[in-house]
Amino acid sequence: MRRRKGYYASKMKRAVHLLFYKRHTKPGVKGWELRKALGADYPKVLKILDNYLKALDLQVKTVFEGEKPVEKPTLEQLDKARFYITLRGDLTPKEAKMIGWRIDDLAGLAITIAYVISKKGKAPRKEVEELLRDKLPGWKVGLNVDRYIRYGYLTQDENEQLYLDWRTRAEIDQKAFIDMLLSK
Amino acid sequence: MSKRKRIKIGREKLQRIIEMCKSVEERSLDPFLIDVDEAVKTIKKFFPEWEIPEDLCLDAETVYHLASVIKLQSEWVKHRSTSLYTDPFLLTEKLVHIEKEEMVETFLKAWHPIVEMEQISLHSLAEALRYWENLLPLSERWQEFQPSEIRTSPATREELIRQRILREKAFSEELESFWQELKNKVKEKGVEGKIRYWDFVGAETYEETVHRAFLTSFLVTYGYASLEIQSLEEEIFIKPNEKPAAKTRKKQLVSIPIAVTTEDWTKWKKGELQ
């Protein structure tokens, strides 16, 4: 029993190293990378780690390929998924400020994401900028949208259409956000 | 209505359908703005008129764009049926009227930022120190790339000949004197104005022999000499011409390979080569 505990403890440490430290340009680790480093039982290691992180208000977040979350993922789906460590609970506006976000920029991000969701995941940049210009200074609007793109919240195609990108899928509970917004 | 006029109207109508479909695709307009049934009827109506490939391509393009719109319509229906669907108008209204602080408060409840760390470890520090210790100072490393100073002076012709950059004589000069040598040898040792091939090309060393054979081949090719082959006796003679023979196109030129092997050269040296 003790040996088994030790086995998972060392694997958990290895998983923490892989998940917490940025190894590529994008954060997070692919499932197949975890399988290579931790062995075939990596989903179990991640489950133990997730339980452990609960007390620290952190969680292991799985983002599957494609738009939608998967209820009962197969090993193949897990291998292709990307795993992150994210905050489990939520931040207060003061805390958000402390991690480098001005309230204006954060509100702009929220408006942009909500608008793109309302347009079925695709909205013209021009329309988004018009909406932001209503409450943000004009010179800042373009810069902010560029910043959201750079961070990975949004992506833009050659026709200047904005889409939600990997970071939005990893960090934002889109359904909860829209529900809360509509219930205001 | 004449056929030509019908074709013209048909083209215009298909172009219009394509433009409409494109605007829906590119500007994310409501895909249900396009009456697909009507568009299909138009495509069907004009299809028998198309004869040239350009018109058939236009027809195919229209079908393609219409299919894209149908795909968008299906996505729209799918989206509306999911729990994520919200009326865009309602949501836009909310977004316009909501206060900045309220928006941030709502967003923060749904936002779980990724934890990313960038930190140097003791191990990496130790590695870096080891690397630093082994790293040569710039002054030493850059010395490797400094070219050593070389005193330059013009090279003499003899030096260039020694290094085989220049030949001692121009090739034509060499060939001319070699022709002269052939004539002299024929006078001395030749019979009936010709000399045995090996008696002419044979030299003290094998390398020299090969060189002479090489030059002889040019003497023959350029018309300074001619070869006489006596097949029965298996003997080859070389005969200098008084003047270089002009090349004639009427005559069929033939190539004759002559092997100059070390065995033959050794035999010739010993006087065994007949």
Side-chain angles (χ1 to χ4, degrees), chain B residues 162-178:
Chain B
R162 231 182 1 259
Q163 287 169 19
R164 298 192 173 211
I165 295 168
L166 278 185
R167 295 169 71 94
E168 206 164 350
K169 285 180 190 169
F171 189 69
S172 56
E173 271 178 54
E174 202 176 348
L175 213 58
E176 289 273 342
S177 60
F178 197 57

Side-chain angles (χ1 to χ4, degrees), chain A residues 128-173:
Chain A
V128 172
E129 288 188 347
E130 257 169 49
L131 188 66
L132 293 177
R133 216 166 273 133
D134 193 37
K135 290 184 183 173
L136 292 177
W139 62 270
K140 216 170 177 237
V141 169
L143 289 176
N144 268 19
V145 174
D146 285 339
R147 185 179 168 198
Y148 306 147
I149 292 170
R150 208 169 52 246
Y151 285 4
Y153 287 104
L154 301 172
T155 182
Q156 181 179 273
D157 69 7
E158 65 280 7
N159 296 320
E160 298 225 311
Q161 298 282 338
L162 295 176
Y163 303 84
L164 301 178
D165 206 5
W166 64 271
R167 198 181 278 274
T168 303
R169 287 199 290 276
E171 295 186 348
I172 296 156
D173 185 343

Side-chain angles (χ1 to χ4, degrees), chain B residues 83-98:
Chain B
S83 52
L84 252 178
Y85 174 72
T86 42
D87 187 347
F89 180 73
L90 192 69
L91 194 56
T92 316
E93 277 299 295
K94 281 266 178 193
L95 296 180
V96 170
H97 295 111
I98 199 166

Side-chain angles (χ1 to χ4, degrees), chain A residues 20-22 27 58 84-93 101 103-104 106-107 110-111 114 118 120 122 131 135 153 161 167 171-173 175 177-178 180-182 184, chain B residues 25-28 31 76 79 82-84 86 88 90-92 94-119:
Chain A
F20 275 80
Y21 290 101
K22 214 169 116 178
L58 296 174
Y84 304 90
I85 301 289
T86 69
L87 194 72
R88 192 180 288 266
D90 48 62
L91 294 168
T92 63
W101 280 93
I103 186 166
D104 276 4
L106 209 54
I111 294 276
S118 80
K120 293 174 283 151
K122 175 187 175 186
L131 188 66
K135 290 184 183 173
Y153 287 104
Q161 298 282 338
R167 198 181 278 274
E171 295 186 348
I172 296 156
D173 185 343
K175 188 177 172 347
F177 178 43
I178 298 298
M180 279 187 284
L181 212 55
L182 290 172
K184 286 274 171 190
Chain B
E25 285 168 52
E26 284 163 14
R27 283 186 251 152
S28 55
W76 190 88
H79 182 75
T82 61
S83 52
L84 252 178
T86 42
L90 192 69
L91 194 56
T92 316
K94 281 266 178 193
L95 296 180
V96 170
H97 295 111
I98 199 166
E99 282 303 314
K100 208 157 56 182
E101 288 74 19
E102 209 179 349
M103 185 71 195
V104 168
E105 211 174 282
T106 312
F107 180 67
L108 286 178
K109 281 182 187 147
W111 186 41
H112 310 283
I114 294 170
V115 179
E116 318 164 37
M117 290 167 83
E118 283 180 28
Q119 183 196 321

Side-chain angles (χ1 to χ4, degrees), chain A residues 41-107:
Chain A
D41 58 349
Y42 77 92
K44 194 175 177 184
V45 178
L46 294 182
K47 205 174 167 189
I48 298 169
L49 177 64
D50 188 54
N51 267 326
Y52 190 83
L53 291 173
K54 234 179 226 175
L56 305 171
D57 201 25
L58 296 174
Q59 65 178 343
V60 177
K61 172 95 188 201
T62 315
V63 178
F64 293 98
E65 260 195 343
E67 302 279 309
K68 288 173 190 167
V70 182
E71 280 288 313
K72 280 183 184 169
T74 60
L75 273 176
E76 200 186 338
Q77 282 170 320
L78 282 170
D79 275 1
K80 285 180 184 168
R82 207 170 178 88
F83 295 84
Y84 304 90
I85 301 289
T86 69
L87 194 72
R88 192 180 288 266
D90 48 62
L91 294 168
T92 63
K94 209 176 171 185
E95 285 170 329
K97 229 181 195 175
M98 276 165 60
I99 59 169
W101 280 93
R102 290 186 69 247
I103 186 166
D104 276 4
D105 303 336
L106 209 54

